[in-house]
Amino acid sequence: MMDDPLDAIAAGTAGSERSLLARVMVGVFTLLAMGGIVVAVAAFAYGRNAARQSFDRILLGAANDIAESLIVQDGQPVANIPASAFGLLALAENDRIYYSIQGPDGAVLTGYSGGAKTANLRNTLTSPVFYDSRMQTERARFVTVARLFSERDFSGAVYVTVGHTLRARNAMALGLTKGALVMTGFGGLALLLGAFLVIRSSMKPLDTLTRELSQRNPYDLTPMSTQGPAEVAVMVHALNRFMQRLDRQVDAMKHLISDTAHQLRTPVAAIRAQAELAIEDDAEDRRVQRLERLVKRTRSLGTLLDQMLSRALVMHRTDNAPPASIDLRDIALRIFEERDHEFLAPEIEVGLSIGEHPVIVIADDISLTEAVKNMLANGLRHGVSPVTLGVSKKQGCAMIWVQDSGLGPPREVMSTIGQRFERSAASKGDSAGLGLSIVHAVARAFNGKVLMEHLDTGFRVTLSFPAQEEESLP
């Protein structure tokens, strides 16, 4: 029984799918087999050609010996066939031989008069003619040569034809083919073994990676070493990026759980206490006061929950939603037209400042909207009326900003603004400290930055991104 689920998964995978080594070896074996077939065909063709050339020379030598032995006596050609001619023909062991000497008119002077189809005698006057025919029931090879005589009592050509069957030729071609195939087979086996050793050695980094992953703690998402071949390093880089995204998701989940447990305990207890006191208090004026405190606590708790869920949404989408081209003017206009500020701070005047030209960035629409909503809510909560939501472009930077008419937080606390649950910058003490934390998270996710400026006209919080060309809009 397997204790490690990774081992079980690996065993199941190995049982259902062939390993990479097996696939590569099957491919190598297929290539070698195809190469072996090509070599076999080539070897057979080479062997047959070599055997033909060798035995054709034997036939030609025997025919020339016989032709050289011809003489003219009493006006007739006479053949005194030398033993060397039969010695040459005898080199083709187990073959039946054939010879024929014909006069100018084609009449057989000596030798066999039948059993083989003779060549066109006129074609042999300039060069020997080789041809295939049959010797009785067997296939055979023949050559015909001509010797010209110009004597007083005899003039014309005498034709000498010799041939033999193909047994020795076929045996020689088969022997050459077998030799080539044996050598090719040994070479193929050596190549197959060498390929196995090389491929097995090349795959050791994969074995190391598999072993390291199998032995890792399931909660260990630290980057793995990228040392090794370039192909494995690319895969490890991709795996590390995946683990980084997974690690951020796990951290976001942990933070949400810990923040929920830490931040909700006190307001929930306060709400319960205020509700119990309101029930137990008999004085009407104090009961109304208790209920007002209860409503205030409830609103504060609702704001806290909204910001915590908004931050969790932003952290999730920054790793999972693909960025796209967005016009910041659309974000600002949508938030302004939703009129949420009229319910959050009806006493504060809110204005919109956007230009006529698109201001394009690459980001996630929902995450960016949540960030700007928190910027505006932060300005409404801590700023001084009027508050302006604006979009501008300057020196290659696309900016969406919220500006109020107040003095802003003290400069000594500017460095801590944007940290989770940091309340030092909240002048009224009712902030959960998550609003600008969400803004900072969105800025980091899309290569942006958060700028806080004390201007002559008020305090401005700006979310700045690298500007894109208008053509990037879909």
Side-chain angles (χ1 to χ4, degrees):
M1 183 175 181
M2 296 184 181
D3 297 329
D4 192 347
L6 290 176
D7 292 339
I9 294 174
T13 303
S16 59
E17 297 287 345
R18 288 186 301 176
S19 67
L20 182 59
L21 177 62
R23 293 185 179 188
V24 175
M25 290 306 300
V26 168
V28 171
F29 178 78
T30 302
L31 289 176
L32 289 178
M34 294 174 62
I37 293 174
V38 172
V39 169
V41 173
F44 178 74
Y46 169 79
R48 187 172 63 175
N49 185 56
R52 168 169 286 193
Q53 291 182 2
S54 298
F55 284 96
D56 279 356
R57 290 191 178 97
I58 291 175
L59 284 178
L60 183 59
N64 286 332
D65 282 352
I66 295 175
E68 291 296 329
S69 68
L70 293 175
I71 60 175
V72 177
Q73 290 183 353
D74 300 329
Q76 293 293 329
V78 177
N80 186 16
I81 300 176
S84 60
F86 291 103
L88 288 173
L89 295 174
L91 293 176
E93 298 180 1
N94 301 322
D95 273 324
R96 299 165 59 191
I97 64 173
Y98 171 94
Y99 76 95
S100 177
I101 301 175
Q102 299 171 276
D105 55 356
V108 177
L109 303 178
T110 184
Y112 299 99
S113 60
K117 179 182 177 182
T118 59
N120 188 347
L121 299 181
R122 295 182 179 274
N123 296 333
T124 63
L125 294 176
T126 56
S127 61
V129 174
F130 290 92
Y131 59 95
D132 294 318
S133 184
R134 302 192 70 84
M135 189 182 298
Q136 295 181 351
T137 58
E138 288 188 68
R139 296 178 62 248
R141 180 76 167 169
F142 300 87
V143 63
T144 298
V145 297
R147 183 176 178 184
L148 294 174
F149 289 93
S150 183
E151 302 287 340
R152 179 178 300 175
D153 52 355
F154 181 83
S155 178
V158 178
Y159 303 96
V160 178
T161 301
V162 295
H164 58 202
T165 53
L166 307 181
R167 299 173 187 174
R169 292 171 181 259
N170 294 338
M172 181 179 177
L174 186 59
L176 291 175
T177 303
K178 286 183 177 179
L181 289 180
V182 169
M183 295 303 297
T184 301
F186 281 116
L189 291 177
L191 288 176
L192 197 62
L193 178 60
F196 174 80
L197 295 176
V198 170
I199 296 170
R200 190 71 184 89
S201 175
S202 301
M203 290 185 177
K204 282 185 178 179
L206 293 178
D207 294 338
T208 303
L209 179 62
T210 303
R211 185 166 54 253
E212 183 177 347
L213 284 174
S214 300
Q215 295 174 355
R216 269 200 168 203
N217 188 296
Y219 302 101
D220 183 6
L221 298 176
T222 57
M224 302 180 64
S225 174
T226 57
Q227 295 181 352
E231 294 79 6
V232 177
V234 170
M235 181 178 65
V236 175
H237 276 300
L239 185 60
N240 285 339
R241 288 195 297 270
F242 171 75
M243 289 195 298
Q244 287 175 0
R245 294 196 301 269
L246 186 60
D247 190 38
R248 287 195 295 268
Q249 293 293 323
V250 172
D251 285 342
M253 181 182 64
K254 289 180 180 178
H255 289 153
L256 179 62
I257 294 173
S258 63
D259 293 345
T260 303
H262 175 69
Q263 295 296 321
L264 296 186
R265 185 180 293 112
T266 299
V268 169
I271 290 173
R272 184 174 63 248
Q274 293 290 344
E276 291 174 352
L277 290 174
I279 292 174
E280 295 173 358
D281 203 333
D282 296 333
E284 186 66 25
D285 56 341
R286 286 199 302 269
R287 181 178 296 176
V288 172
Q289 185 179 10
R290 303 281 187 192
L291 290 176
E292 290 177 351
R293 291 178 181 176
L294 181 61
V295 171
K296 184 178 180 181
R297 285 286 187 177
T298 304
R299 289 175 178 172
S300 177
L301 178 60
T303 301
L304 174 62
L305 287 173
D306 287 343
Q307 289 186 333
M308 292 177 65
L309 293 175
S310 178
R311 189 174 191 278
L313 174 64
V314 167
M315 295 302 295
H316 170 75
R317 289 190 64 84
T318 52
D319 277 332
N320 293 276
S325 298
I326 300 172
D327 189 348
L328 291 181
R329 300 180 308 160
D330 295 338
I331 301 292
L333 186 60
R334 185 190 313 141
I335 294 175
F336 183 79
E337 291 180 344
E338 287 178 356
R339 300 287 178 179
D340 289 345
H341 54 274
E342 296 180 355
F343 299 96
L344 295 175
E347 72 282 359
I348 294 181
E349 178 185 352
V350 178
L352 180 66
S353 175
I354 58 176
E356 297 180 356
H357 301 287
V359 181
I360 310 302
V361 298
I362 301 298
D364 173 56
D365 185 273
I366 295 178
S367 300
L368 192 55
T369 301
E370 289 295 324
V372 177
K373 282 184 176 181
N374 278 276
M375 288 170 56
L376 181 58
N378 192 72
L380 295 175
R381 185 179 297 112
H382 306 297
V384 177
S385 181
V387 175
T388 303
L389 173 60
V391 174
S392 59
K393 185 176 181 182
K394 182 180 179 182
Q395 296 178 352
C397 293
M399 297 175 288
I400 186 167
W401 44 268
V402 174
Q403 179 177 328
D404 68 90
S405 302
L407 299 177
R411 296 184 183 276
E412 57 269 16
V413 301
M414 293 281 285
S415 60
T416 61
I417 294 178
Q419 299 178 6
R420 290 167 50 244
F421 303 109
E422 175 57 48
R423 291 186 175 87
S424 60
S427 60
K428 300 177 184 178
D430 59 353
S431 171
L434 283 173
L436 289 181
S437 172
I438 295 172
V439 178
H440 279 277
V442 172
R444 286 192 301 268
F446 303 109
N447 299 319
K449 56 185 177 181
V450 179
L451 304 176
M452 300 183 187
E453 304 170 285
H454 290 89
L455 305 176
D456 295 337
T457 56
F459 179 71
R460 176 181 291 188
V461 178
T462 302
L463 188 54
S464 176
F465 299 96
Q468 306 295 319
E469 298 297 330
E470 294 186 23
E471 289 76 7
S472 60
L473 262 178

